[in-house]
Amino acid sequence: MAYSNIPRKESLRSIADVKHIPFWLDDPIRPLSGPELTKNISTDLLIIGAGFTGLWTALLAKEEDPSREIVILEAGEVATGATGRNGGFMDASITHGLHNGLARWPKEFPILLAMGLANLDQIESTIQRLGIECDYLRTGDVSMASEPYQVEDLRAEMEISARYHIKSEFYDRDRVQQIVKSPFFIAGLNHPNYSALVNPAYLAWGLRKACFDLGVQIYEHSPVTKLVEENNQVIASTSHGYVRASQVALATNAFPPLLKRLAYYVVPVYDYVLATEPLTPAQRESIGWLGREGISDVSRQFHYTRTTADGRIVWGGYDAVYYWNNGFGPHLENDSVSFARLAEHFFQAFPQLEGVHFTHAWGGAIDTCSRFSPFWGTAHHGKTAYAMGYTGLGVGASRFGALVMLDLLDRRKTERTVLEMVRTKPLPFPPEPLRFIGINLSRWSMDQADRNQGRENLWLRLMDWLGLGFDS
Ligand SMILES: Cc1cc2nc3c(=O)[nH]c(=O)nc-3n(C[C@H](O)[C@H](O)[C@H](O)COP(=O)(O)OP(=O)(O)OC[C@H]3O[C@@H](n4cnc5c(N)ncnc54)[C@H](O)[C@@H]3O)c2cc1C
């Protein structure tokens, strides 16, 4: 069953009054903005970017060595990047899923799997230890099939999972309809222990507070405009001051990079999301979605959906839009065509909810790289390190990204730094116009595959052969 892309009047009406702010950030407990950097200071470790990667880097570094001076410079406010815009699906995978990890690092896959699971366990124990209230639920993410060929794919995934001792639960149509009633879902697969749901802003604000409590200095509205090496240190300049640091961790994700070379490895791809008003008990009853598990469909252009603590449904995905020449900025965060398409798909998935309104609509940039999973590197003779390229699966993996950055900065050989995944980089993207043409041809081909029983055209087969094929 394929979604129709033509929005009906009812769908357009449902998004007529949306606020263009991520639902997670539109919250009365959002902290007041911190100070700007207006002086020149020195520090042991400077972190640029206060999303999950930057916050975990600060927390882990400070917990390891409380005497280390740490400063964070953030262009906007904590969590205003992808960290406050995502679906809040926190996956144990650090390789962007089973298939991607196995295809790229077959030999070290068991260790990557174990490290990913340990990472999720440690996030969970940190949340508990610090008492961060962030609606964290380890309920899993059910992959839903809507076509018979996808059911076969789920069965194949279940067999691979068994080989690696990943607990799986296969749901037939009846069981799936007990989880949520939708004409689209005919089977499902869950790895209950491998995925959690979280309110991402609450988690980030909790990490922010933990960093403050340990003495980390956070400057907001302080974009770094220049990063240079000078006298065995690195200097990060903002418009009203600079920070002189012995070490720098770059945690800027899909934002225009401070190291030019990174623009070849990461492209910003925009993803859009809607949140409904809180459902009434009768509306909730009509779809039978009483649990708090996450749900994604398994098409190549996939939707993800979940409920919130106050009873809304968050519904995002499908469109993944690359704008010419790494286009980036707030003007791309709202796309009325994508919002209308998402609303239309929502009512096709849940026809019982016709008449429900959306209250929030937003978008954000995904730091896409050609291997769809994070990569690392250093600059300035090892004094600067970076972690990025999570490609839409960084809510959990960002903590692992932070650990590796700290290993690299401290020049430690660890079980992480010896990994092939850590030592290698993705293939760079070609320059424009090839970049634009290639990415959009892939997107079009994925749409065709979804409408053609998953059959790949020549372009997708070529991409797979080159190791550039995207498997959601
Ligand atoms: C719409 C959407 C949905 C997603 N859904 C999921 C999901 O459900 N599950 C999942 O695992 N992942 C998801 N992701 C991806 C996930 O959100 C990211 O991988 C993760 O938040 C990355 O965190 P980060 O800290 O690396 O980046 P960010 O949160 O983007 O933080 C980077 C920070 O750096 C700052 N910055 C940039 N340049 C500068 C500069 N020059 N000076 C100072 N500061 C600077 C920015 O302002 C920003 O705050 C989604 C992403 C989007 C956009």
Side-chain angles (χ1 to χ4, degrees), residues 85 100 191 243 316 328 340 433 435 466:
R85 297 170 178 274
N100 194 49
H191 306 299
V243 179
F328 187 88
R435 184 178 290 200
L466 292 171

Coordinates of all heavy atoms in Angstrom, one line a residue, residues 85 100 191 243 316 328 340 433 435 466:
R85 N 15.1 19.0 17.8 CA 14.2 18.9 16.6 C 13.9 17.5 16.2 O 13.1 17.3 15.3 CB 14.9 19.6 15.4 CG 15.1 21.0 15.6 CD 15.9 21.7 14.6 NE 16.0 23.1 15.0 CZ 15.1 24.0 14.7 NH1 14.1 23.7 13.9 NH2 15.2 25.2 15.1
N100 N 23.4 -1.7 7.7 CA 24.5 -0.8 7.4 C 25.8 -1.2 8.1 O 26.8 -1.2 7.5 CB 24.1 0.7 7.7 CG 25.0 1.7 7.1 OD1 25.3 1.6 5.9 ND2 25.5 2.6 7.9
H191 N 12.8 -4.7 18.3 CA 13.9 -5.2 19.2 C 13.8 -4.4 20.5 O 14.5 -3.3 20.6 CB 15.3 -4.8 18.5 CG 15.4 -5.3 17.1 ND1 15.3 -6.7 16.8 CD2 15.6 -4.7 15.9 CE1 15.5 -6.8 15.5 NE2 15.6 -5.7 14.9
V243 N 38.2 32.5 22.7 CA 38.6 31.5 23.7 C 40.0 30.9 23.2 O 40.0 30.4 22.0 CB 37.6 30.4 23.8 CG1 38.1 29.3 24.9 CG2 36.2 31.0 24.3
G316 N 6.8 12.3 11.6 CA 7.8 13.0 10.8 C 8.4 12.0 9.7 O 8.1 10.9 9.7
F328 N 21.5 25.8 3.8 CA 21.4 25.6 5.2 C 20.8 26.9 5.8 O 21.2 28.0 5.4 CB 22.7 25.3 5.9 CG 22.6 25.0 7.3 CD1 22.4 23.7 7.7 CD2 22.7 26.0 8.3 CE1 22.3 23.4 9.0 CE2 22.5 25.7 9.6 CZ 22.3 24.4 10.0
A340 N 2.3 19.7 4.2 CA 1.0 19.2 3.7 C 1.0 17.8 3.4 O 0.1 17.0 3.6 CB 0.6 20.1 2.5
P433 N 27.7 20.6 -9.9 CA 26.3 20.2 -9.7 C 26.1 18.7 -9.5 O 25.0 18.3 -9.3 CB 25.7 20.6 -11.0 CG 26.8 20.4 -12.0 CD 28.1 20.8 -11.3
R435 N 26.7 16.8 -7.0 CA 26.2 16.5 -5.7 C 24.7 16.6 -5.7 O 24.0 15.7 -5.3 CB 26.8 17.5 -4.7 CG 26.4 17.3 -3.3 CD 27.1 18.3 -2.4 NE 28.5 18.1 -2.3 CZ 29.3 18.6 -1.3 NH1 28.7 19.3 -0.3 NH2 30.6 18.3 -1.3
L466 N 28.7 0.6 -5.0 CA 29.7 1.5 -4.5 C 29.8 1.7 -3.0 O 30.6 2.4 -2.4 CB 29.5 2.9 -5.1 CG 29.7 3.0 -6.6 CD1 29.3 4.4 -7.1 CD2 31.2 2.8 -7.0

